[in-house]
Amino acid sequence: MLDPRTQIVTVIGGGGFLGRYVCERLFKAGVRVRVAQRHPRAAWFLQPLAAVGQLALVKADVGRPATLERAIDGASSVIYLPGLLKGDMERVHVDGPRAAAEFAAKNGAKSFVHVSAIGASKDSPSRYGQSKARGEAAVKAAFPGATIIRPSLVFGPEDQLTNRFAAMAQLPVLPIIAPNTKFQPIYSRDAGPAIALAALEPERYAGETIELGGPEIMTMRELVTTVARLSGSERQVSDLPDMAADLLSRFGFLPGAPLNRDQWAMLQQDNVASADGGLAAFGIIPTPLEAVGRQWLSRFKEGGRFRGLHQPTEANVTRPAG
């Protein structure tokens, strides 16, 4: 394991949704953490989680290799987190991790962890899956001992998954796209520590490709209806026919469109981890959505998390005499 007294871990994209949970585990391990991202101020929320002098925020852009090199200089480990569902995937999923892995190897880093995705394959029907596969290959070529982490859908308080479904559940009818596609959603407080441990213990995880999933395999219909229930919605759900979803995706280039062509292609394949979901390799017991979802989804209920407080009851209502 990396010596916490002397080691620096550079987390590229550490101020994002998943990054906060990766960094939280690194702070607990006692290592110094250098968070590198395009807008460092967006990661200031991490400071209360760190000890004095344990966190450094640096400006870096995956499209500007020189900034990545500065962020990686002197680091004993590097974690690459950035990903996107639309836009310049080649820059973020391939060129960025390649440059980061090259600089990590050049600087003598002991470990490199690249966060990819289940479904990464050169034969994927989506540009997303193909670009993730090219990114994995580029990282392996530059840093042969790199650890590849492939999570399924990640949920948590700040996600754009359950929160989006909960917001949609306020509609009169909740349409479900690709209702039978299967997922194995994983809690952010499980995925983040696993990624951190892969960096901290290269003697155990170097060279491995590990797929991460939660304790349950759920269809899209089951996932959406569970989120709706946890958010207090009793709206009717309705499967959207594939023909209609396909047509909808053709307008994905429009601002605010819920689905684009590449996302529709991704939904044609299940997103399920192999073996036992991967968390057992890190000694982590997976957390089901049902156990934690109400913590943040209750805010979508009428009255939010304070629903039921200070409401009149038979016991405390004062009735007029007579």
Side-chain angles (χ1 to χ4, degrees):
M1 186 167 180
L2 299 182
D3 184 347
R5 297 168 298 179
T6 60
Q7 305 303 322
I8 298 173
V9 180
T10 293
V11 185
I12 301 170
F17 160 52
L18 184 55
R20 72 175 64 208
Y21 298 102
V22 175
C23 291
E24 183 177 44
R25 180 62 181 83
L26 293 172
F27 295 145
K28 290 180 179 178
V31 298
R32 287 180 288 168
V33 179
R34 184 186 293 159
V35 171
Q37 59 184 65
R38 189 164 48 179
H39 302 295
R41 287 189 178 185
W44 279 4
F45 67 88
L46 291 171
Q47 291 192 359
L49 303 177
V52 175
Q54 195 179 16
L55 172 66
L57 303 176
V58 298
K59 186 177 180 63
D61 187 331
V62 299
R64 299 171 61 193
T67 65
L68 284 180
E69 186 170 22
R70 287 194 294 269
I72 291 170
D73 183 37
S76 52
S77 181
V78 178
I79 299 173
Y80 188 93
L81 295 172
L84 43 77
L85 292 173
K86 58 183 178 180
D88 192 351
M89 296 183 191
E90 195 72 16
R91 177 178 66 88
V92 176
H93 294 170
V94 185
D95 297 338
R98 176 192 290 115
E102 289 174 349
F103 293 136
K106 175 183 175 182
N107 282 277
K110 296 180 177 65
S111 63
F112 188 96
V113 179
H114 175 53
V115 178
S116 183
I118 290 177
S121 170
K122 63 181 180 62
D123 299 318
S124 171
S126 68
R127 289 194 306 116
Y128 177 86
Q130 294 169 17
S131 65
K132 282 292 189 179
R134 289 195 297 275
E136 290 183 6
V139 165
K140 285 288 191 181
F143 200 109
T147 304
I148 307 296
I149 302 291
R150 295 176 170 179
S152 184
L153 298 180
V154 181
F155 67 87
E158 308 84 9
D159 70 31
Q160 295 188 25
L161 173 71
T162 63
N163 285 291
R164 183 177 185 182
F165 288 157
M168 291 175 60
Q170 310 309 307
L171 299 171
V173 177
L174 177 57
I176 301 178
I177 296 172
N180 297 314
T181 300
K182 296 177 182 178
F183 303 89
Q184 196 171 352
I186 181 172
Y187 188 30
S188 54
R189 287 193 179 277
D190 295 338
I195 293 166
L197 285 172
L200 293 171
E201 302 183 25
E203 67 279 4
R204 293 184 61 184
Y205 305 109
E208 298 289 328
T209 295
I210 305 172
E211 296 187 345
L212 296 182
E216 301 172 293
I217 295 175
M218 311 172 74
T219 65
M220 179 68 86
R221 184 188 301 107
E222 291 169 337
L223 177 58
V224 172
T225 54
T226 297
V227 170
R229 177 166 47 77
L230 293 175
S231 65
S233 173
E234 298 179 359
R235 299 294 193 274
Q236 178 182 352
V237 298
S238 177
D239 294 351
L240 191 68
D242 285 352
M243 184 178 297
D246 180 83
L247 179 62
L248 181 66
S249 71
R250 295 179 184 276
F251 295 91
F253 60 90
L254 296 175
L259 183 74
N260 62 36
R261 292 298 290 170
D262 202 60
Q263 290 168 328
W264 175 239
M266 290 168 60
L267 289 171
Q268 304 311 300
Q269 292 186 329
D270 292 338
N271 193 273
V272 176
S274 58
D276 60 359
L279 288 175
F282 300 96
I284 297 173
I285 299 173
T287 306
L289 173 60
E290 192 83 40
V292 293
R294 284 189 178 85
Q295 294 176 11
W296 64 91
L297 296 175
S298 61
R299 68 188 180 89
F300 290 93
K301 296 180 180 179
E302 185 178 354
R305 66 187 61 185
F306 302 106
R307 181 183 184 185
L309 296 180
H310 308 298
Q311 296 297 317
T313 66
E314 284 293 322
N316 62 22
V317 171
T318 302
R319 300 187 182 282

